[in-house]
Amino acid sequence: MPRTRLIILALILSALAFGLHTSAEATEIAAGVAIFLIGMMALENGFKVFTGGTLERLLQRSTDKLWKSLSFGVVATTVTQSSSLVSVITISFLSAGLLGLTQGVGIIFGANLGTTTGAWLIAGLGLRVNIAAYAMPMLIFGVVLSFTSSKTLKGLGNVLTGLGFLFLGIHYMKEGFETFGQSIDLAEYAVPGLAGLMLFTAIGVFATVVMQSSHATLVLIITALAAGQITYENALALSIGANVGTTITAIIGSISANIAGRRLAAAHLIFNLTTGILALVFIRQFVVAVELGADWLGIAPNDHTLKLALFHSLFNLTGIALMLPLMSRLVVFLETHLKPAPSTVSSPRFINETMMQMPDAGLEAARKEIGHLFANVFDIMALVLHADPIRLRKGEQLELLANAPERVREIDVDDYYRRRVKPLHADILDFLARLPTEDKQSRQAFVLRAATQHLIEALKDLKHLQKNMVRYLVSPNPYLRKEYVAIRQHLALILHHLHRLATGEEENPTLAFDVLAASMQSHDIVGNGTLDRLIREKRISPEVASSLMNDNGYAYDISRNLLALARTAFMPHEYVDKQLENALHLDKQELEAILATASQAGSQENEGSRI
């Protein structure tokens, strides 16, 4: 397959080189397209840097209702002039579980309408003024700012550079078509009727797929139309094709996404195909509507470029009006027919390569994936504590934990760890290490990494605790048996309440967490004097007391590590942010000690599969 792609690429490059060699005008047009695409990439990069997460935070806060999702799609695409950027952000947040499919589909619908503003800007402004004169200052200032160390100035520089290249690309395409028209009139090759409609729609799809930008295709169409190189009817068909072809960006962006991202890409494809078919079938009615709208807006009868922009907006708006009442059915259809691929419990559910472009979404996805890791560890811990994982999650038969289990057996923790924990833990660490983060994001990634280590340490301590628990839960000494039953009960209850924190079932998470922290202290039999009393009253022998003291330490460390995990991964964002700010006040020695501990734990992790 790679060889076939190389052959196809070689043929395309050869044909392109021949065309550029034989026609100076074609070279100028192609250079204009290339410069425009470079501008689009620079503009997208600029907005990614410049927003610094603003767009993502706005996305989270403005999509709780369908009309807000639509509005966000329209406004964000209008501002960034990139439906691709909005699509990638939406897929990332949907894959991370931060958005529902309905909200994601609403954003995509709005982005389709927002992308039509580009045609209005080009037709209404780009072709009527000498935009090359504005391009040069933008490029100069943009390049200078791009080399600064300030993140904000660098982002502004990328935006200015992108706009400069966009303007310059439009200028070269416009000049190329005007010069081209002096020697060859491509309008002579116009295809009227239904054949022309289908042919030029297909050309529009192909051009957009190749250039990966419907904006670039529309600029090419508008500049060619302004120079008289294509007819108005063929330009309408090309714009329909460009609208359908733009779905390739969402499809490519969903390849590495999870099932939620693929469903969104499918919704994008269904919407644009439906809208395209609608525009093709009712092309005459749309042309009449455009004429009426142009007359009402004061657009000149021979101003076909603005009429094309109106047509582009009109059929997208019609598509939204048609699809909105069917939104719920579309979501049900996608969820019914697009099923997630079978996966093991150790396969990641939230993190994927799509997140690499959006660190904020990536961090939230990692946080959710840690919840998935906790669910796997929860099952192992429940089995070690001789509790049914399903019932423990639901809180059923918690009163039975106050008694010794009827049957006691040792669990192979190492085997469970190798199969259910280690692969997923490794994927999370790899993801966090590769996620491009800065400043506060880097500190959040560090805290999340530490949270996974707390969970692994808790499982390791429970493995050590199991040795004596299996023995003493059935001890004939009632006092000794009572203490191990209490350890088992305490740890099982912590697991149950942490599950409720992880799933959002706790009505007051902060209060629940504080109660668990207090409970951890009260169950320390060394600290509360219980161990001394048992020895003094000769209820247990000194040898057994030594084991009980060690196992009490294991239980205390398990509780402490589980609560440290919950503090980072399961508590509300406001609480986590406060904890993060407090962590920033650590002095250098404390921070170095934490890093050394994490490094040592990582080295132990790499020594083998045994925990």
Side-chain angles (χ1 to χ4, degrees):
M1 190 67 178
R3 185 177 179 183
T4 304
R5 290 178 179 175
L6 287 174
I7 293 173
I8 294 174
L9 179 61
L11 291 174
I12 293 174
L13 291 175
S14 299
L16 186 60
F18 176 77
L20 298 180
H21 177 71
T22 56
S23 173
E25 294 82 4
T27 301
E28 190 171 11
I29 295 170
V33 174
I35 293 170
F36 185 88
L37 290 174
I38 291 173
M40 288 294 298
M41 288 188 289
L43 194 63
E44 285 189 17
N45 291 333
F47 275 111
K48 284 179 183 178
V49 175
F50 191 62
T51 55
T54 302
L55 199 60
E56 293 89 333
R57 289 192 292 272
L58 183 62
L59 174 60
Q60 288 180 270
R61 297 171 183 172
S62 60
T63 54
D64 55 331
K65 295 182 180 179
L66 182 56
W67 70 268
K68 289 185 179 181
S69 300
L70 282 168
S71 301
F72 176 85
V74 174
V75 173
T77 308
T78 299
V79 171
T80 64
Q81 281 299 292
S82 175
S83 59
S84 301
L85 177 60
V86 176
S87 297
V88 168
I89 292 175
T90 306
I91 289 174
S92 298
F93 272 68
L94 191 63
S95 298
L98 299 174
L99 288 177
L101 184 57
T102 301
Q103 288 79 16
V105 173
I107 293 172
I108 292 298
F109 285 6
N112 272 273
L113 183 60
T115 196
T116 65
T117 59
W120 284 99
L121 290 172
I122 297 161
L125 180 64
L127 300 179
R128 301 174 190 276
V129 297
N130 182 18
I131 57 175
Y134 297 95
M136 298 306 174
M138 286 184 176
L139 286 172
I140 294 170
F141 286 105
V143 169
V144 171
L145 291 175
S146 296
F147 284 100
T148 60
S149 58
S150 170
K151 182 179 177 181
T152 302
L153 292 178
K154 187 185 292 289
L156 179 60
N158 284 333
V159 170
L160 288 175
T161 302
L163 288 173
F165 278 128
L166 288 181
F167 288 179
L168 202 60
I170 293 171
H171 170 76
Y172 276 115
M173 280 186 269
K174 176 185 174 183
E175 292 294 320
F177 274 117
E178 289 177 353
T179 307
F180 198 73
Q182 297 174 6
S183 55
I184 300 177
D185 185 9
L186 291 178
E188 294 180 358
Y189 300 95
V191 181
L194 180 61
L197 191 63
M198 301 307 296
L199 173 63
F200 280 87
T201 298
I203 293 173
V205 172
F206 177 77
T208 306
V209 169
V210 169
M211 292 188 288
Q212 291 281 291
S213 172
S214 60
H215 274 75
T217 306
L218 283 171
V219 171
L220 202 58
I221 295 168
I222 291 172
T223 51
L225 179 61
Q229 289 295 301
I230 56 175
T231 64
Y232 174 57
E233 291 75 16
N234 289 163
L236 297 181
L238 285 168
S239 70
I240 296 172
N243 211 62
V244 175
T246 192
T247 57
I248 193 66
T249 303
I251 292 173
I252 291 175
S254 70
I255 290 175
S256 60
N258 58 16
I259 185 61
R262 291 194 288 274
R263 284 170 178 164
L264 184 65
H268 195 190
L269 179 62
I270 290 171
F271 173 79
N272 283 39
L273 280 176
T274 303
T275 305
I277 293 171
L278 183 72
L280 288 172
V281 172
F282 297 100
I283 186 71
R284 292 185 179 179
Q285 287 81 357
F286 275 112
V287 169
V288 172
V290 167
E291 293 299 327
L292 293 173
D295 184 59
W296 183 71
L297 293 172
I299 298 174
N302 61 344
D303 194 344
H304 291 124
T305 55
L306 280 177
K307 286 184 177 180
L308 175 64
L310 179 58
F311 171 77
H312 194 212
S313 297
L314 191 59
F315 79 77
N316 271 287
L317 191 59
T318 304
I320 293 175
L322 176 68
M323 294 296 291
L324 273 183
L326 305 174
M327 176 80 80
S328 58
R329 293 185 181 181
L330 175 62
V331 170
V332 171
F333 172 81
L334 293 170
E335 292 176 342
T336 303
H337 290 82
L338 289 180
K339 299 290 187 180
S343 60
T344 64
V345 292
S346 61
S347 300
R349 295 177 182 174
F350 301 98
I351 57 175
N352 53 64
E353 291 301 313
T354 306
M355 306 294 173
M356 290 297 165
Q357 302 184 56
M358 297 295 155
D360 283 342
L363 288 169
E364 185 59 29
R367 192 180 182 199
K368 287 180 174 290
E369 203 66 73
I370 291 172
H372 175 203
L373 181 66
F374 168 74
N376 288 357
V377 173
F378 180 100
D379 290 342
I380 303 171
M381 286 186 156
L383 293 175
V384 173
L385 296 172
H386 304 92
D388 180 77
I390 296 176
R391 290 183 173 181
L392 185 57
R393 282 189 173 89
K394 295 179 180 179
E396 296 176 354
Q397 299 180 331
L398 290 178
E399 66 278 2
L400 296 181
L401 295 172
N403 303 309
E406 296 179 358
R407 190 165 69 105
V408 175
R409 63 187 180 91
E410 189 169 353
I411 302 298
D412 190 346
V413 177
D414 288 327
D415 180 60
Y416 276 107
Y417 170 76
R418 282 191 297 268
R419 292 187 291 107
R420 303 192 58 167
V421 177
K422 186 177 181 180
L424 182 58
H425 184 215
D427 286 334
I428 293 173
L429 293 181
D430 175 69
F431 177 81
L432 288 172
R434 294 187 297 111
L435 190 68
T437 56
E438 295 181 6
D439 302 329
K440 185 179 179 181
Q441 292 174 338
S442 298
R443 296 190 290 270
Q444 289 175 334
F446 172 81
V447 170
L448 289 175
R449 244 187 324 267
T452 66
Q453 193 58 42
H454 285 305
L455 187 57
I456 300 303
E457 290 294 328
L459 184 58
K460 182 194 300 183
D461 287 335
L462 188 60
K463 173 193 168 184
H464 296 311
L465 175 61
Q466 179 183 219
K467 297 175 182 177
N468 284 331
M469 182 177 290
V470 170
R471 178 182 177 186
Y472 293 130
L473 276 175
V474 292
S475 172
N477 184 332
Y479 298 100
L480 183 61
R481 186 172 65 247
K482 177 183 177 182
E483 295 307 323
Y484 277 91
V485 167
I487 290 174
R488 167 183 178 249
Q489 181 183 30
H490 170 59
L491 294 179
L493 288 174
I494 284 183
L495 285 175
H496 167 68
H497 287 291
L498 290 193
H499 166 72
R500 288 177 57 84
L501 283 173
T503 55
E505 296 176 26
E506 290 286 0
E507 295 182 1
N508 191 333
T510 305
L511 177 61
F513 185 86
D514 291 340
V515 170
L516 289 176
S519 174
M520 179 182 70
Q521 298 295 334
S522 66
H523 280 80
D524 179 11
I525 63 172
V526 175
N528 63 24
T530 300
L531 183 64
D532 289 340
R533 179 177 56 79
L534 290 172
I535 298 174
R536 188 170 56 251
E537 296 176 358
K538 300 187 183 301
R539 304 298 186 183
I540 59 176
S541 67
E543 293 79 9
V544 170
S546 176
S547 297
L548 181 57
M549 184 174 68
N550 290 335
D551 291 335
N552 174 76
Y554 284 135
Y556 186 87
D557 287 343
I558 292 168
S559 303
R560 180 175 53 80
N561 279 309
L562 287 177
L563 291 180
L565 160 77
R567 185 184 297 112
T568 299
F570 305 153
M571 296 298 288
H573 283 281
E574 298 78 10
Y575 185 91
V576 175
D577 289 341
K578 183 179 179 181
Q579 295 298 318
L580 183 60
E581 291 300 324
N582 292 337
L584 296 182
H585 293 90
L586 293 174
D587 61 34
K588 185 178 180 181
Q589 291 182 345
E590 290 175 314
L591 188 57
E592 287 177 349
I594 293 174
L595 289 171
T597 303
S599 176
Q600 182 181 3
S603 299
Q604 294 173 353
E605 172 72 18
N606 293 328
E607 289 178 359
S609 60
R610 296 180 68 85
I611 55 175

